[in-house]
Amino acid sequence: MPPSLTSFTDDARIALDNITDRASGLMHPAIRLGVTGLSRAGKTVFISSLVHNLLNGGRLPLFEAVRSGRVSAVRLEPQPDDAIPRFQYEDHIQALVRDRIWPDSTRAISELRITLDYQSASGWSRMFSRGRLSIDIVDYPGEWLLDLPLLTQDFRAFSENTVTLAETGIRKELSHEWLALASSIDMDAPADEMTARRLSEAFAAYLRACKADERSLSTLPPGRFLMPGDLEGSPALTFAPLPNIPETKASKGSLRAMMERRYDAYKNVVVKPFFREHFARLDRQIVLIDALQAINRGPEAVQDLERALTDVLACFRPGSNSFFSSLVGRRIDKVLVAATKADHLHHESHDRLERLTGRLVDRAIQRIGMAGAGIEVMAIASVRATREATVKEDNHILPVIVGTPMAGETINGERFDGNKKTAIFPGDLPDNPEALFQNLDAPNAELPEINVVRFRPPALEESNGGLKLSVPHIRLDRAMQFLFGDRLA
């Protein structure tokens, strides 16, 4: 991150935390894996499936250490950070496997440690290594990650950026009430709590409208306005951007001064502690995105996803960690951007989804002028909820996917009860993603029609011994190999 994000005191505390982590790692090797996702990308499902497949001997042919039989034992262990809530793996996997419902999204940070005993592939390493690696999975909302750029913006810059964005496209309609209210008040008048409350409530309503399923916009800071938790009603969450702020200093005791003070409090109370205590201690990171949902919602949602990815990638510093540099200035040396829900497409479009996501990432990287080293792109399905088939229609063979739609899902006028299976033609992505991006800015641009249906998690078969088989997936093993396979070499 740019040096301006943190103070000297913050940097000293980060260095101390990293030294503590590394000292502990000498006795018990560990890697801290950050898992986050933009809206509805399925990070809870990703973590649950990853852990379930490791614990239950899942089919992981692309995860080399498991494929070669070098992993001898996998177990959950107490996490190292007692002050962070535990990721409730057991509850989430029960929802997936027994109840066949998608688990609730987590709305705060959580952590889980899974430890692998393994035999190194190198005979030399086997002489000196204990052959044990703990993976500390740190789960946090993507909205929190999108808050980090606020640390480089004062209240005036934050307001200008937010208002400018709010006046574009569909946001202009959604932000009308908030901007009309903000434009009607005198920001230099004496501070008034009720006015501040009305402004913050109108601004939060605008953010919620942007996030709603029918719009699926992604760039929505400040993130805690959408998930306030125990800060609800606090002054740190009772502010709003203001339009047309003059360059002069705010008058003492004015509404504008109050907004500036509360914005700074938000950064100091919410954003800085997250960066210092959690984000700055990560070794690897996966960012999950729902590219299919964005495509289904139209050009504006795709552009907003690209904007969010730009802000996300600007937060990372991919690069190799030497032992010394990691003590004082830890770097996230691998970042994976994964487009989820690949099981909503026929396998012929999986590589197309990956190429499309790669182009999104490339465009984001170009916008911020960073190198792409250490950044990988994949299309995955953490849980495969469908199977593939073909149907004959008018002497043509059509590839389809088959699954059980969620109760209440409606397809072609038929409302499903959660038990009946159906086959749908999912649609096709363009073979060349450039065809999609060239049309984004065109008036009345049309994107490929993707038939996005909410399917239930699959019914898992049992082995001869009565044990449930592991959760099926698409390319989850490839993600594991990229994220921590090298640490098991």
Side-chain angles (χ1 to χ4, degrees):
M1 303 288 284
S4 57
L5 284 184
T6 55
S7 65
F8 177 79
T9 303
D10 292 326
D11 291 339
R13 291 178 66 178
I14 291 170
L16 180 60
D17 286 339
N18 284 332
I19 291 172
T20 302
D21 288 343
R22 293 306 179 189
S24 174
L26 292 175
M27 299 298 295
H28 191 149
I31 184 171
R32 292 180 68 83
L33 171 63
V35 179
T36 195
L38 301 182
S39 185
R40 299 167 195 81
K43 62 188 177 64
T44 302
V45 175
F46 171 83
I47 297 171
S48 301
S49 181
L50 182 148
V51 173
H52 190 265
N53 274 277
L54 287 175
L55 289 175
N56 293 278
R59 292 185 66 254
L60 304 170
L62 297 181
F63 188 28
E64 190 277 331
V66 168
R67 184 191 69 229
S68 61
R70 294 192 295 105
V71 175
S72 57
V74 183
R75 61 191 174 277
L76 293 176
E77 289 191 326
Q79 65 196 57
D81 301 300
D82 292 333
I84 301 176
R86 183 179 183 274
F87 179 84
Q88 296 301 321
Y89 163 73
E90 295 80 4
D91 294 341
H92 297 319
I93 205 66
Q94 178 176 286
L96 279 169
V97 173
R98 191 192 72 180
D99 303 329
R100 293 184 62 200
I101 60 174
W102 300 108
D104 293 334
S105 299
T106 49
R107 299 179 64 81
I109 196 162
S110 62
E111 186 175 26
L112 188 73
R113 166 169 281 194
I114 185 167
T115 297
L116 288 72
D117 293 335
Y118 70 99
Q119 185 180 58
S120 174
S122 164
W124 181 259
S125 297
R126 286 198 294 270
M127 295 176 59
F128 299 99
S129 172
R130 296 177 61 189
R132 178 180 299 173
L133 177 69
S134 290
I135 303 166
D136 295 322
I137 300 172
V138 182
D139 167 34
Y140 65 93
E143 287 84 356
W144 294 17
L145 184 57
L146 288 169
D147 273 354
L148 291 184
L150 300 182
L151 293 176
T152 63
Q153 302 173 23
D154 60 16
F155 180 68
R156 185 172 179 274
F158 161 67
S159 293
E160 183 176 342
N161 293 338
T162 306
V163 170
T164 299
L165 183 59
E167 291 176 332
T168 62
I170 186 61
R171 288 176 182 261
K172 187 171 185 179
E173 176 186 336
L174 303 178
S175 65
H176 175 75
E177 183 176 339
W178 156 54
L179 288 179
L181 176 62
S183 299
S184 69
I185 59 104
D186 181 0
M187 68 181 74
D188 294 317
D192 175 69
E193 187 64 37
M194 291 306 295
T195 301
R197 241 175 74 182
R198 286 191 295 127
L199 280 169
S200 67
E201 288 171 356
F203 178 58
Y206 153 69
L207 294 178
R208 287 193 297 270
C210 289
K211 187 179 180 180
D213 279 347
E214 58 268 27
R215 297 167 189 108
S216 299
L217 300 180
S218 304
T219 310
L220 305 169
R224 287 293 183 94
F225 275 64
L226 293 169
M227 44 184 69
D230 57 1
L231 288 175
E232 187 166 12
S234 67
L237 261 65
T238 312
F239 70 91
L242 297 174
N244 304 317
I245 298 178
E247 295 185 11
T248 57
K249 186 177 179 180
S251 304
K252 186 176 181 180
S254 65
L255 179 68
R256 174 182 159 198
M258 173 195 274
M259 295 288 104
E260 288 181 353
R261 185 177 66 253
R262 292 183 175 184
Y263 171 74
D264 289 340
Y266 181 86
K267 294 195 292 182
N268 291 326
V269 172
V270 174
V271 187
K272 274 194 175 184
F274 165 67
F275 173 73
R276 183 179 63 238
E277 298 167 13
H278 305 296
F279 185 80
R281 296 173 59 200
L282 298 176
D283 298 302
R284 307 279 168 88
Q285 175 70 54
I286 180 169
V287 179
L288 303 167
I289 65 171
D290 189 351
L292 292 180
Q293 179 81 319
I295 292 170
N296 209 40
R297 293 295 179 257
E300 193 165 343
V302 175
Q303 290 173 323
D304 204 67
L305 176 58
E306 182 182 322
R307 185 182 299 111
L309 269 176
T310 302
D311 291 343
V312 163
L313 293 176
C315 295
F316 296 116
R317 298 176 296 174
S320 298
N321 270 323
S322 68
F323 179 79
F324 178 75
S325 69
S326 67
L327 292 181
V328 293
R330 202 160 175 167
R331 284 180 180 269
I332 295 174
D333 57 357
K334 286 190 175 185
V335 178
L336 173 60
V337 179
T340 58
K341 305 177 184 177
D343 59 326
H344 285 57
L345 296 170
H346 194 268
H347 75 269
E348 294 173 349
S349 282
H350 291 174
D351 288 344
R352 297 176 183 182
L353 176 60
E354 191 166 293
R355 287 195 294 271
L356 188 150
T357 306
R359 191 66 187 100
L360 268 174
V361 170
D362 288 344
R363 286 163 63 97
I365 288 173
Q366 291 168 8
R367 289 175 66 175
I368 54 181
M370 68 180 286
I375 299 175
E376 183 65 63
V377 174
M378 294 179 193
I380 69 171
S382 305
V383 173
R384 183 168 195 160
T386 66
R387 63 178 177 84
E388 294 185 356
T390 57
V391 297
K392 189 173 183 179
E393 184 175 298
D394 297 330
N395 294 322
H396 294 286
I397 302 298
L398 293 178
V400 297
I401 56 175
V402 179
T404 306
M406 297 286 290
E409 194 78 356
T410 301
I411 305 174
N412 295 328
E414 181 180 357
R415 186 178 179 86
F416 285 80
D417 61 2
N419 296 309
K420 181 181 177 182
K421 290 185 177 181
T422 191
I424 67 166
F425 174 65
D428 286 322
L429 292 176
D431 188 55
N432 181 3
E434 287 301 325
L436 184 148
F437 289 102
Q438 287 172 358
N439 293 327
L440 278 183
D441 296 323
N444 302 316
E446 293 186 5
L447 298 186
E449 187 173 335
I450 303 299
N451 200 350
V452 177
V453 173
R454 295 184 307 132
F455 291 104
R456 290 185 69 186
L460 296 189
E461 298 177 0
E462 293 186 353
S463 65
N464 292 333
L467 295 176
K468 290 282 189 182
L469 300 181
S470 57
V471 175
H473 62 85
I474 296 173
R475 293 175 174 169
L476 185 63
D477 50 345
R478 185 177 157 200
M480 292 182 190
Q481 181 63 29
F482 174 79
L483 290 168
F484 46 82
D486 60 317
R487 294 293 299 270
L488 299 167

